[in-house]
Amino acid sequence: MIGILGALRSSAVRSRKRVAIGAVQITQGFLASLSEGARVADLVVVGAEVPGYECVQAKGEEAIAEQLVALGISGAVDAIVRGQLYYTYYHASIKSQLNVRRDLMCPCLIKDVCGNEWFLTPVVQHDDASVEGRSYLASQAARICTKLGVDPVIGVLAADSERGYLRSVDASLDDAEAIVSKLKKNGYGRCAMYPLRIDKAASECNIVIPMDGTVGNFVCRALAYLGGASLVGGFSLTSRVVSIDTSRANDRFGPAIEAAVAMSNVGGMHIEEYDGVVARPS
């Protein structure tokens, strides 16, 4: 069975695209990322100037974010990558220019040290962790997989497998059961609960749904910065621009650039946008 990264790679090599990336400080890691990304993309560096690449200069992270997002929304480039920009500035620019009420949620693609490739979502503290919100996130990550030709397999985590000793554990089991039921009713047959066992979920699924964004954020950071996992980035859930959200602490953006090209080559992000209460067709 083809994995997510293999599907992204196959899509990325079909056609070169123009991809813009935010640049604050030129490091060896950033230059290596540009070199890697230039294999599949014509790059536009927004912010700091880098010899040998098309550049759009801007001073200050807020101004860089505004320029970067504007390039993507206007169609001047095919996709954008957050790069080194501060999360708040990048998402504030997207919210303002797309006129949305909340930060876009972004399922994060990870390759762990065991070789498993999976979307983790929610991964930000203020992502919607309700049953509705997590069902939405699971379904949209599944849409991305399907568009890439990958069969989605969803694992919904719960805090433990035993009931009766903590209300919070019971609540997490109730929520996980409700999410699985909702997803199956909506046609996602390969979906199951994984009480406590994130390791098993990661080995058997390509979409993993933790209890909330705080748990997801700690899992993501622990795996990437302590456990040797590779972060591709977050796939911004809007159909109006292809945006890959990266961690500036990572400074390795080649896979994110490749993912941006790949999603552009399949016609963009075929997802439903979320208004904070229900999913609505874009």
Side-chain angles (χ1 to χ4, degrees), residues 8-280:
L8 287 169
R9 198 160 295 119
S10 294
S11 176
V13 299
R14 291 178 198 160
S15 175
R16 294 183 67 83
K17 298 294 184 184
R18 278 170 57 82
V19 177
I21 183 170
V24 177
Q25 182 178 9
I26 305 308
T27 64
Q28 287 303 310
F30 187 78
L31 291 174
S33 295
L34 295 183
S35 179
E36 184 180 353
R39 298 172 188 167
V40 294
D42 298 323
L43 295 173
V44 179
V45 180
V46 182
E49 186 172 5
V50 182
Y53 294 92
E54 180 181 347
C55 298
V56 176
Q57 290 185 272
K59 291 186 177 180
E61 289 193 50
E62 291 180 81
I64 296 170
E66 287 291 319
Q67 288 270 24
L68 177 63
V69 173
L71 286 172
I73 292 174
S74 69
V77 296
D78 299 296
I80 57 177
V81 174
R82 176 180 148 202
Q84 297 175 323
L85 291 173
Y86 184 46
Y87 173 97
T88 299
Y89 298 143
Y90 185 68
H91 281 267
S93 294
I94 291 177
K95 280 170 62 179
S96 173
Q97 294 187 45
L98 289 183
N99 192 29
V100 294
R101 295 189 300 173
R102 59 179 299 143
D103 289 357
L104 295 180
M105 295 186 282
C106 307
C108 183
L109 181 57
I110 296 170
K111 182 176 181 179
D112 63 37
V113 291
C114 298
N116 305 308
E117 302 167 9
W118 41 290
F119 280 110
L120 179 69
T121 186
V123 288
V124 178
Q125 288 84 344
H126 53 257
D127 283 352
D128 188 345
S130 68
V131 168
E132 285 289 334
R134 282 183 284 162
S135 299
Y136 164 78
L137 288 166
S139 68
Q140 302 313 299
R143 279 178 173 239
I144 294 169
C145 288
T146 300
K147 193 63 184 177
L148 291 167
V150 176
D151 188 17
V153 184
I154 303 168
V156 183
L157 302 181
D160 203 345
S161 58
E162 296 183 17
R163 290 181 176 272
Y165 70 95
L166 278 177
R167 289 181 187 175
S168 58
V169 171
D170 292 351
S172 78
L173 287 163
D174 291 341
D175 285 355
E177 288 173 353
I179 292 167
V180 170
S181 176
K182 188 176 183 66
L183 289 170
K184 287 189 173 181
K185 285 179 182 177
N186 289 335
Y188 299 101
R190 300 187 68 185
C191 177
M193 275 180 58
Y194 287 81
L196 191 63
R197 293 294 303 276
I198 188 172
D199 53 329
K200 189 176 181 184
S203 68
E204 296 179 357
C205 305
N206 50 29
I207 301 166
V208 177
I209 310 298
M211 288 75 79
D212 58 39
T214 301
V215 172
N217 196 273
F218 271 103
V219 168
C220 190
R221 290 178 179 276
L223 289 177
Y225 305 135
L226 299 174
S230 299
L231 290 184
V232 175
F235 289 53
S236 301
L237 295 180
T238 176
S239 61
R240 291 180 275 175
V241 61
V242 173
S243 159
I244 304 297
D245 190 355
T246 51
S247 171
R248 62 179 182 169
N250 187 22
D251 211 27
R252 179 173 179 253
F253 306 115
I257 295 168
E258 184 176 81
V261 174
M263 295 312 300
S264 182
N265 278 339
V266 296
M269 300 288 287
H270 293 262
I271 57 90
E272 295 173 336
E273 291 188 2
Y274 195 60
D275 66 8
V277 181
V278 294
R280 57 180 172 83

